Amino acid sequence: ITGASTETFIFAGTSLASGLTLTSDTTGGVEIVAGSSTSSGTTPPPSNTIVVSGGTTSSGLTISSGETIEVLSGGTVAAITLVSGAVETVEAGGLDSGTYISSGGNETVIGSANLDQVYGTQLVSAATAIVSNETVFAGGSVDLFVAGVTADNLTVGSGGAININGHAVASNTVIDGGTLDLQSPKATLSGTLTFSGSGTLGVSDKISAGYGDLAVISGFGAGDIIDMTSATSVGAAGSAATLSW
């Protein structure tokens, strides 16, 4: 391309950056560079950040250690892998589906996530956040952190943990050998709570009336534990659980 000639390129898949520029390749030609221009007035993301913008779906990606992927409102990621040291942020309006979070990988959900496999850490930390149909494996944790967070149909396996803080709500949860811990006065369980293996329901704080375990418990048997020893008082917990043997 010489003189005033122009060429059009269409990039599919992951959004690159707000700016693309031509720069010398030091061999007499030019190359297209993403993220080096600020002509739009917006600072582009760092070179180790992948941005999935609205209307874009990215699938099958592996996010390496030191890399970050950001899913913006209207964007979707499917079946990606976060290795140890990788970070994912799902913003409000963004959707994550089927992510494999390796041990040492970190995902923050402000939008929605479903079908994730959690061996690392998932932080669910906004009133808009919804997670569903996920499994927490050994060494993994799902932390429901603030009021308004909703988690539905989560399963916690042996060595895994679900921690409920603030006025977050977990519904229809399965404890399959792992630990589910109520860590604040308004932490709440609803729907059903099924023990499917030797697991633990912990109560780490005094639960306010009308909160706590409001779920119907089933499958509770030998090897299962409901541990209230860390709570300063449980007498007014307002628990409405029904145990099935």
Side-chain angles (χ1 to χ4, degrees):
I1 304 172
T2 60
S5 299
T6 62
E7 181 66 35
T8 299
F9 298 91
I10 299 175
F11 295 91
T14 302
S15 173
L16 294 174
S18 57
L20 293 174
T21 58
L22 290 176
T23 186
S24 171
D25 65 359
T26 70
T27 62
V30 293
E31 61 184 5
I32 298 174
V33 178
S36 63
S37 173
T38 58
S39 59
S40 65
T42 301
T43 302
S47 59
N48 63 344
T49 298
I50 299 170
V51 178
V52 182
S53 57
T56 301
T57 298
S58 294
S59 60
L61 301 176
T62 296
I63 312 304
S64 301
S65 178
E67 293 183 335
T68 297
I69 183 166
E70 297 180 0
V71 186
L72 304 184
S73 179
T76 300
V77 292
I80 70 170
T81 298
L82 302 177
V83 305
S84 179
V87 175
E88 177 186 7
T89 301
V90 184
E91 300 289 355
L95 174 62
D96 165 281
S97 180
T99 290
Y100 184 100
I101 307 173
S102 303
S103 176
N106 290 272
E107 178 185 72
T108 298
V109 179
I110 301 171
S112 301
N114 68 85
L115 298 173
D116 286 359
Q117 301 178 65
V118 184
Y119 291 84
T121 301
Q122 182 186 69
L123 176 63
V124 190
S125 63
T128 56
I130 301 173
V131 293
S132 60
N133 304 309
E134 299 188 333
T135 303
V136 188
F137 295 92
S141 67
V142 171
D143 300 317
L144 311 177
F145 196 63
V146 295
V149 163
T150 301
D152 189 42
N153 288 318
L154 269 58
T155 298
V156 55
S158 179
I162 298 173
N163 303 308
I164 306 178
N165 216 314
H167 182 200
V169 179
S171 302
N172 307 317
T173 309
V174 177
I175 302 178
D176 189 13
T179 299
L180 172 60
D181 195 13
L182 306 182
Q183 297 182 339
S184 69
K186 293 186 178 181
T188 301
L189 299 175
S190 67
T192 59
L193 175 62
T194 304
F195 283 84
S196 179
S198 298
T200 299
L201 169 61
V203 181
S204 299
D205 199 352
K206 177 181 178 180
I207 302 298
S208 299
Y211 301 95
D213 180 17
L214 307 179
V216 178
I217 297 177
S218 64
F220 188 84
D224 294 321
I225 299 170
I226 298 177
D227 183 3
M228 299 181 180
T229 56
S230 296
T232 55
S233 174
V234 187
S239 174
T242 302
L243 277 69
S244 301
W245 300 90

